[in-house]
Amino acid sequence: MRPGNRDNREESVAVIGMNDAPTRPASIQAQTTAAQRRASEPAQPPCVLLVDDIPANLRVLYESLNGRDYRLLVANGGAQALEIAQRSRPDLMLLDIMMPDMDGFEVCRRLKQDAGTADVAVIFLSALDEAADKIHGLELGAVDYVTKPFHPEEVAARVEAHCKILRLERELGQRNRQLELVRDRILHSMVEAVVGLDAVGRVSFVNPAAERLFGLAAEHLLTRDLSDWEPTALRETAQRVLAERRELSLDEVALPRPDGSTLPVELRAAPIADAADTAGVVLVLRDLSERRRVEAKLHRTSDELHRSHRELQAAQMQLVQAAKLESVGRLAAGVAHEVKNPLAIVQLGLDYLEQVASFDDVSAQVLADMQQALSRADTVVRGLLDFSRERDLDLKPCAVNEAIQNSLQLVRHELTQRNIAVRTSLAEAVPERPFDIDKLQQVFLNLFMNAMHAMERDGTLSIRSSFTALAGNELGPHARDAGFLPSDRVIRVAIEDTGPGIDPEDLGRLFDPYFTTKRQGEGTGLGLSVTRNIVTLHGGSIDLENRPEGGARALLLFHPEFARAEALSRPSEATLRARTARLRSANR
Amino acid sequence: MSKKRILLVDDEPALTRMLRLNLEQTGRFEVREENRGTNALRAAREFQPDLIFLDVMMPDIGGDEVAEQLKQDPALSKIKYAFLTAIVTKRETGTGAAEISGETFLAKPVKRDELLAVVDELLDE
């Protein structure tokens, strides 16, 4: 106790060095320690509070440190030291032990009790050189001890050393907090649910994804321990990881949720290993339901693809079948026609002979047999012709647009794969008329596939239908043969591609049976011949030409009326024209 | 009563001959054969037939075209004609001649009785 110095004590309460410490709002002070504040304000010099009840000592201390990069505060007693410490949060305190109002040990004890000042580093100053005192001081949380009488250099060196330690500690702390922030941010933004378990299986941390996955708030999850975990597989995996200290995973677990549903979840569990022992397990759970949905969708899409592929194959088979029938029918029609004239000659010859000559019974029988044979031959020939003719058309009123769209559906996938764009302009005004829609679809399918094979990859397939007056320059050879005239009202379908077009040498032969420009295996060569035949049977025409801007164009024309009744029992004018056109082209 | 005149146009000479023989055999018809479609019009002008049988499929000019030319020619447009052809079948025509799209068709092969019945029918009108 040094009562003689009391007067000076008040005076020496001064802030020396920089300006007054900024006064922070109490709420923030209560939440932040001096170290945190300082850490967030780099470049501020360390603040050192010098505490001694003897002014002379204070002066020596002050002078030892003055001129160095410190902010210096002084207090002349324990109570004042605590007050300044609470207000100004010094980094370091040089604390005299023997003081009259409150000794240094008590000051230190109170400092350490108060969270706001607990991290102030204390260096005791005392004449006491007893080991017990030093130990007592260090036990109270002091960092060092300087014995009086002190050498200014020693004081400066120790303060310097401790400030350096403090700075490093603070930097370390700051780095740690940054790392924690980064870790929290990573955990927070992870799509996967992360659950940390400690060594005995208690939940130690969870991220928001885990709350969503389990359907439970963090505070509920954090009260759980391993025995609560469902399903069993999850629990057992975590236990095995703890016991075996190696990573384990489960491809799929059904995770029960509070609402009674289950989620398919993929689990990876890894040990959190401390240097020596296993400190816990981290569980990473991934919700598989979205992936399962996508997989299911992919399966469906793939099924659809397979189905449309099968449909296309079936349609192609039909085309091939139709092509075969067509070729047989064409042959039959040609043969039948050629045979009819000789039959007619023999028939009339026999009839004539029967009129002009008289026969005995045997000769009469010969004539009768010949007549019968003739009649049989005629029946066979008629059968061949009927087979090859329009008897097979299943006519119902429909619009070409419907057939176009149906056929397009069959090739749409392949068009997409080949990056071929489709432009359709199908006029609603196109009237219905009797068509065999299946056969008509074969026509369009055939033409679309030809266009697709011509373009191979990339390009545009455009399809336009209209009901319009026929322009004279649109009358191709087949259209003329089929009896179309300029300004006829016609159903017109134009199919255009952006391929290489048709070799002019081939233009005249395109519709010949077995003529093909495709690679072996890609076409039978009967496609266009069948196509024209079907169109012809419908009283229509089809002509192919090269477009001036490149690519090929197929132009189909149909009359808006088509008499089915006639087609069955009496052929229509168009049918007759078509027949003669066909026979003529066969004779050419 | 004078004999009715019938012109037969078909590229098959044996057929026109058989037709002619059967028709002439009745003693009621005068018949001329023409085996080239391109000569059909000239033959019609010279012969002035009451009836013409036309084949459709002929190598030089089709019977349908011959019929068109007949109709266009004022001197010949009154002459009756029928197509005797293999492009229609008996299933389509039935027995005898049939009206198809405004034209008369007779399917090959034709029997004598059938032929005579059709001729009578056509000349009767």
Side-chain angles (χ1 to χ4, degrees):
Chain A
M1 297 281 244
R2 294 174 177 93
N5 290 330
R6 283 194 79 84
D7 288 349
N8 288 342
R9 276 188 303 194
E10 290 300 320
E11 286 179 287
S12 48
V13 178
V15 175
I16 302 163
M18 293 182 62
N19 291 335
D20 280 1
T23 326
R24 288 162 186 278
S27 61
I28 291 184
Q29 285 189 356
Q31 288 165 7
T32 52
T33 62
Q36 277 169 336
R37 272 200 345 267
R38 300 207 151 267
S40 61
E41 295 162 16
Q44 218 174 37
C47 176
V48 181
L49 173 59
L50 312 174
V51 186
D52 203 308
D53 59 323
I54 300 168
N57 285 347
L58 275 178
R59 192 167 306 117
V60 172
L61 287 173
Y62 185 80
E63 282 166 3
S64 320
L65 297 172
N66 193 26
R68 300 169 195 264
D69 192 19
Y70 298 116
R71 181 170 164 244
L72 295 175
L73 304 176
V74 295
N76 57 10
Q80 196 184 30
L82 282 175
E83 194 192 316
I84 293 176
Q86 271 167 359
R87 195 174 62 228
S88 302
R89 314 282 167 129
D91 299 291
L92 191 68
M93 190 185 284
L94 291 182
L95 182 59
D96 186 24
I97 294 175
M98 301 293 283
M99 290 185 292
D101 63 335
M102 186 190 294
D103 71 25
F105 292 138
E106 180 59 18
V107 172
C108 183
R109 204 180 53 76
R110 292 194 189 183
L111 271 180
K112 297 297 167 188
Q113 269 178 354
D114 184 342
T117 53
D119 66 336
V120 176
V122 175
I123 300 176
F124 279 119
L125 310 164
S126 182
L128 298 171
D129 194 12
E130 298 289 324
D133 288 320
K134 288 184 185 169
I135 290 165
H136 184 49
L138 293 172
E139 275 172 358
L140 286 171
V143 294
D144 206 351
Y145 209 98
V146 182
T147 311
K148 292 182 188 176
F150 34 68
H151 305 284
E153 292 78 11
E154 188 193 351
V155 171
R158 286 191 188 263
V159 167
E160 176 70 40
H162 283 288
C163 282
K164 194 171 178 183
I165 289 170
L166 281 174
R167 197 178 65 244
L168 289 174
E169 275 180 351
R170 276 167 197 155
E171 280 172 10
L172 198 60
Q174 194 183 2
R175 189 74 49 84
N176 271 341
R177 277 186 301 279
Q178 278 173 347
L179 283 175
E180 275 167 20
L181 270 177
V182 169
R183 186 201 66 193
D184 285 351
R185 231 176 281 144
I186 290 172
L187 279 178
H188 207 87
S189 58
M190 274 177 82
V191 179
E192 288 89 350
V194 180
V195 176
L197 303 180
D198 66 15
V200 291
R202 277 189 307 258
V203 175
S204 54
F205 64 87
V206 295
N207 70 347
E211 297 178 72
R212 288 194 296 273
L213 189 74
F214 285 94
L216 289 171
E219 56 263 33
H220 286 106
L221 284 169
L222 287 168
T223 62
R224 291 193 153 192
D225 68 37
L226 204 50
S227 57
D228 298 328
W229 289 105
E230 288 287 346
T232 322
L234 188 70
R235 190 164 64 233
E236 285 173 356
T237 305
Q239 280 166 338
R240 280 182 58 197
V241 172
L242 274 174
E244 299 171 21
R245 293 190 207 172
R246 64 185 180 94
E247 247 188 81
L248 289 173
S249 62
L250 292 173
D251 290 343
E252 188 169 336
V253 201
L255 186 74
R257 288 170 48 95
D259 63 3
S261 64
T262 59
L263 275 181
V265 165
E266 178 193 53
L267 169 70
R268 275 174 295 133
I272 305 171
D274 268 354
D277 211 344
T278 297
V281 187
V282 63
L283 305 176
V284 179
L285 301 106
R286 185 203 293 268
D287 181 357
L288 296 178
S289 42
E290 182 56 30
R291 190 196 295 180
R292 293 285 172 270
R293 260 196 300 281
V294 171
E295 280 170 358
K297 200 174 158 196
L298 271 179
H299 274 300
R300 277 199 304 280
T301 312
S302 144
D303 286 349
E304 276 164 24
L305 269 183
H306 277 118
R307 203 178 55 242
S308 84
H309 182 66
R310 276 197 303 277
E311 280 171 5
L312 184 59
Q313 272 187 329
Q316 280 174 321
M317 278 302 292
Q318 273 184 352
L319 278 181
V320 171
Q321 200 58 29
K324 284 180 184 165
L325 275 178
E326 145 76 3
S327 98
V328 171
R330 179 183 288 270
L331 190 67
V335 169
H337 193 260
E338 289 307 311
V339 169
K340 277 187 168 192
N341 268 338
L343 280 183
I345 293 164
V346 174
Q347 177 70 62
L348 288 167
L350 278 181
D351 289 349
Y352 178 72
L353 288 177
E354 280 179 343
Q355 289 298 316
V356 297
S358 59
F359 298 97
D360 57 19
D361 288 352
V362 176
S363 302
Q365 185 59 49
V366 168
L367 280 175
D369 288 348
M370 287 168 80
Q371 285 282 13
Q372 221 183 346
L374 256 185
S375 159
R376 256 167 51 205
D378 186 37
T379 308
V380 169
V381 166
R382 231 188 298 167
L384 274 180
L385 274 176
D386 289 345
F387 168 77
S388 65
R389 285 197 178 156
E390 64 275 16
R391 185 180 54 116
D392 293 334
L393 284 192
D394 181 16
L395 294 172
K396 288 191 188 79
C398 75
V400 285
N401 292 354
E402 191 186 341
I404 291 171
Q405 271 156 344
N406 290 348
S407 307
L408 207 48
Q409 210 50 45
L410 288 172
V411 287
R412 197 170 283 282
H413 172 63
E414 202 171 340
L415 286 167
T416 310
Q417 275 196 330
R418 289 170 181 258
N419 195 30
I420 293 171
V422 180
R423 291 219 188 98
T424 52
S425 158
L426 306 180
E428 279 180 28
V430 174
E432 290 196 342
R433 54 149 272 183
F435 279 112
D436 183 326
I437 187 159
D438 287 339
K439 292 228 161 50
L440 196 60
Q441 278 167 208
Q442 283 183 358
V443 166
F444 290 123
L445 180 62
N446 215 335
L447 294 172
F448 296 160
M449 292 209 299
N450 283 348
M452 200 162 70
H453 289 144
M455 289 185 275
E456 293 188 4
R457 283 201 63 78
D458 308 322
T460 304
L461 171 67
S462 49
I463 304 148
R464 279 174 290 135
S465 70
S466 54
F467 183 48
T468 179
L470 184 57
N473 60 358
E474 290 198 326
L475 269 178
H478 188 220
R480 270 195 296 274
D481 276 352
F484 285 97
L485 298 168
S487 75
D488 274 1
R489 292 290 289 175
V490 291
I491 298 169
R492 177 185 180 283
V493 180
I495 299 165
E496 296 175 349
D497 67 47
T498 53
I502 304 159
D503 188 332
E505 277 186 26
D506 295 336
L507 266 173
R509 299 187 290 164
L510 284 173
F511 291 99
D512 292 354
Y514 302 110
F515 175 79
T516 184
T517 57
K518 291 183 185 173
R519 285 186 292 271
Q520 203 166 6
E522 226 179 26
T524 57
L526 278 165
L528 277 178
S529 127
V530 175
T531 301
R532 176 169 277 184
N533 188 32
I534 295 172
V535 171
T536 305
L537 289 180
H538 283 92
S541 73
I542 171 169
D543 282 292
L544 290 176
E545 62 176 10
N546 284 318
R547 303 158 65 212
E549 58 270 54
R553 181 173 79 149
L555 188 68
L556 289 91
L557 305 175
F558 294 100
H559 294 289
E561 281 103 29
F562 185 63
R564 169 58 184 150
E566 269 194 325
L568 188 62
S569 56
R570 299 277 161 83
S572 71
E573 196 183 336
T575 306
L576 289 180
R577 263 204 301 261
R579 277 184 202 168
T580 51
R582 230 178 335 152
L583 286 166
R584 279 190 187 116
S585 77
N587 288 345
R588 233 168 248 153
Chain B
M1 189 176 101
S2 66
K3 289 183 179 178
K4 293 283 186 182
R5 289 162 176 254
I6 300 173
L7 174 61
L8 306 170
V9 182
D10 195 306
D11 60 313
E12 182 76 59
L15 183 67
T16 52
R17 185 158 60 249
M18 291 307 149
L19 289 166
R20 179 173 57 77
L21 288 173
N22 275 291
L23 290 167
E24 283 177 350
Q25 197 268 335
T26 63
R28 296 160 49 206
F29 307 108
E30 198 176 323
V31 181
R32 175 161 170 179
E33 300 171 49
E34 178 51 62
N35 299 118
R36 293 180 58 150
T38 44
N39 287 345
L41 242 58
R42 199 174 68 206
R45 273 194 285 271
E46 286 169 12
F47 187 55
Q48 291 293 318
D50 300 291
L51 175 65
I52 304 174
F53 278 110
L54 283 170
D55 185 19
V56 175
M57 298 298 301
M58 290 186 288
D60 49 358
I61 178 177
D64 46 344
E65 208 168 313
V66 174
E68 283 305 311
Q69 291 172 0
L70 281 174
K71 282 191 268 189
Q72 310 271 318
D73 190 327
L76 305 174
S77 60
K78 294 282 187 311
I79 302 175
K80 289 198 173 97
Y81 64 91
F83 293 110
L84 177 58
T85 172
I87 69 161
V88 293
T89 65
K90 285 209 175 63
R91 184 174 60 81
E92 292 164 340
T93 58
T95 305
E99 192 88 355
I100 298 172
S101 311
E103 303 284 4
T104 309
F105 280 85
L106 190 55
K108 285 178 184 178
V110 66
K111 287 176 182 290
R112 173 193 162 94
D113 295 346
E114 203 182 354
L115 174 73
L116 295 177
V118 168
V119 168
D120 283 342
E121 196 184 317
L122 291 172
L123 290 177
D124 246 21
E125 287 165 8

